Amino acid sequence: MAMELSSLPLVLLLCLLAGSSTTALPALPGMDRVRQQVDRANRRGPSIGLVMSYVAEDTALQASGYFRPWRVQPFVDLYGRRFHIGSIRGANVIYALTGQRRVLKPELLHLNAAVTVQTLLDVFTVSGIVHYGTAGSSNDSMSFGDVSVPKLVAYTGAWTWKKFKSLKESSTELNFGQFNIPDGGENLLGSLKYRNEELYSVGKPMEEVFWLPVDSAWFKIAEGLKVNLERCNDTFCLPKTPQVVHGLKGASADMFLDNAEYRKFLFREFAVSTIDEESAAVVMTTTSPGVPVIVFRGVSDLAGGEPTWSSTSLMNLASINALKVAVEFIATIGRQMSTPSAQSSKN
């Protein structure tokens, strides 16, 4: 059974951080030098935090030429991760690779994403978090290469295993008997009830939530972007030019979804259009302190479907398209942050 996101106090224990000041860094060997590097990076002013999970997504950024490393100090190595310091289209950016899935430890993807974002928020001066990457589609509402800008994401990996023949509740359940072959019926596995997450936010009491919204102001800005996506890469071309789709729902869990029936179930019950392993962790970690967050996901495959093209080629193209939208968004936010009205509002 997958680890539930709400049971991750380990994030705080691992980070050992308590605020945006670098004085919160623990007194470990070599930390004086790291503290100086962080202070130097923060003196540039607020940055946009950019996070991705897979090497292919990092490769797309490096190969694009969008990211310009800061000559004074191009990176900070902290807690085993490298935080790259630089800019994208004139906007200060600090980006990090959270870490990709391992076959035997898929639950670490969600944990790694949360730890990386928490470190960005607590150690560096960031004005918001942009998360981009690839995702599987759950139905035919999106095509390969399309980019989803979800308005809501949910963590669908927190379950309560219900006893066999227990009464069905009003909340969504997965009944294993419905998937018996060749005909549905009873199954000793019983059913699963999807659980809400406990969201702790600044100035608010704890609330149980299932859907996690991205920042509404940032989402509105993303809706106004005009981005021409790529139809071809070096190896093949898609049948039609991909599109940016706004306002759909996404699902995340500590597992790689490779089951067509479960994918159909998620679409039928929750109306999600994309499926990944990190978005909910990124959004929840950022929402707690009230920091803006946005998600861009390029469709690289049909979750649990038969491969139509090379998965490597599709992931490359999906990564490039998601990156293009993220870059345009960062440039727009950067221009708004540098306007006189934005500067005066901070004073």
Side-chain angles (χ1 to χ4, degrees):
M1 184 179 296
M3 180 188 297
E4 57 177 297
L5 185 59
S6 60
S7 64
L8 294 182
L10 181 60
V11 171
L12 300 180
L13 296 177
L14 288 174
C15 290
L16 297 174
L17 306 171
S20 59
S21 171
T22 58
T23 58
L25 291 173
L28 300 176
M31 290 305 293
D32 286 343
R33 180 171 177 270
V34 173
R35 189 176 289 107
Q36 292 173 0
Q37 293 176 338
V38 170
D39 285 342
R40 188 179 299 120
N42 286 339
R43 282 196 293 270
R44 299 190 311 155
S47 297
I48 296 172
L50 178 64
V51 293
M52 71 286 297
S53 299
Y54 286 90
V55 173
E57 297 155 2
D58 183 28
T59 301
L61 176 59
Q62 294 286 357
S64 68
Y66 292 129
F67 182 78
R68 295 180 176 273
W70 191 33
R71 293 181 180 179
V72 176
Q73 181 180 294
F75 59 84
V76 174
D77 289 330
L78 180 63
Y79 302 137
R81 288 177 173 80
R82 175 158 291 186
F83 294 84
H84 298 263
I85 316 297
S87 63
I88 291 178
R89 303 269 292 273
N92 287 345
V93 170
I94 300 175
Y95 93 82
L97 185 67
T98 66
Q100 64 188 59
R101 175 177 56 89
R102 293 290 183 262
V103 175
L104 297 179
K105 294 289 184 181
E107 68 274 9
L108 293 183
L109 241 183
H110 240 63
L111 177 59
N112 281 335
V115 169
T116 304
V117 172
Q118 192 71 56
T119 303
L120 273 168
L121 297 177
D122 287 344
V123 175
F124 297 97
T125 304
V126 295
S127 56
I129 298 293
V130 174
H131 177 45
Y132 88 91
T134 59
S137 64
S138 62
N139 70 323
D140 58 3
S141 66
M142 298 194 69
S143 302
F144 296 140
D146 286 352
V147 176
S148 173
V149 189
K151 196 170 187 177
L152 298 168
V153 297
Y155 181 68
T156 54
W159 308 326
T160 297
W161 206 295
K162 299 189 65 179
K163 294 182 179 180
F164 182 53
K165 288 187 176 180
S166 60
L167 295 176
K168 180 173 176 58
E169 300 180 16
S170 58
S171 57
T172 300
E173 294 182 9
L174 187 155
N175 190 315
F176 287 99
Q178 297 176 353
F179 301 94
N180 285 354
I181 300 296
D183 300 311
E186 294 185 350
N187 189 304
L188 293 179
L189 289 175
S191 61
L192 297 174
K193 174 188 175 183
Y194 287 83
R195 296 178 59 182
N196 293 334
E197 294 300 316
E198 294 181 353
L199 178 62
Y200 294 85
S201 302
V202 175
K204 298 180 181 179
M206 185 277 290
E207 57 180 330
E208 292 191 1
V209 298
F210 185 76
W211 294 106
L212 298 163
V214 301
D215 184 77
S216 59
W218 275 23
F219 179 80
K220 186 174 182 180
I221 293 172
E223 283 187 304
L225 299 179
K226 303 297 181 183
V227 185
N228 295 319
L229 302 183
E230 300 294 334
R231 187 172 72 90
C232 304
N233 60 14
D234 294 336
T235 58
F236 78 107
C237 289
L238 293 168
K240 61 179 182 178
T241 301
Q243 303 293 321
V244 182
V245 184
H246 303 87
L248 301 179
K249 297 177 180 178
S252 295
D254 297 321
M255 67 186 79
F256 180 75
L257 199 160
D258 194 18
N259 184 291
E261 291 303 317
Y262 186 54
R263 176 244 302 163
K264 295 175 184 176
F265 171 85
L266 289 176
F267 174 70
R268 183 173 64 251
E269 296 295 331
F270 300 118
V272 296
S273 296
T274 54
I275 298 169
D276 64 68
E277 299 163 75
E278 311 87 15
S279 292
V282 173
V283 174
M284 188 170 187
T285 306
T286 311
T287 299
S288 289
V291 176
V293 62
I294 194 80
V295 174
F296 303 102
R297 285 284 181 172
V299 174
S300 62
D301 66 294
L302 178 64
E306 292 295 326
T308 307
W309 293 286
S310 164
S311 58
T312 301
S313 296
L314 281 174
M315 178 169 283
N316 169 261
L317 191 55
S319 297
I320 290 173
N321 282 340
L323 173 61
K324 290 192 70 172
V325 184
V327 165
E328 191 60 40
F329 177 82
I330 289 171
T332 303
I333 291 295
R335 288 193 296 270
Q336 292 187 0
M337 290 172 58
S338 63
T339 59
S341 59
Q343 295 294 333
S344 62
S345 65
K346 298 178 184 178
N347 299 326

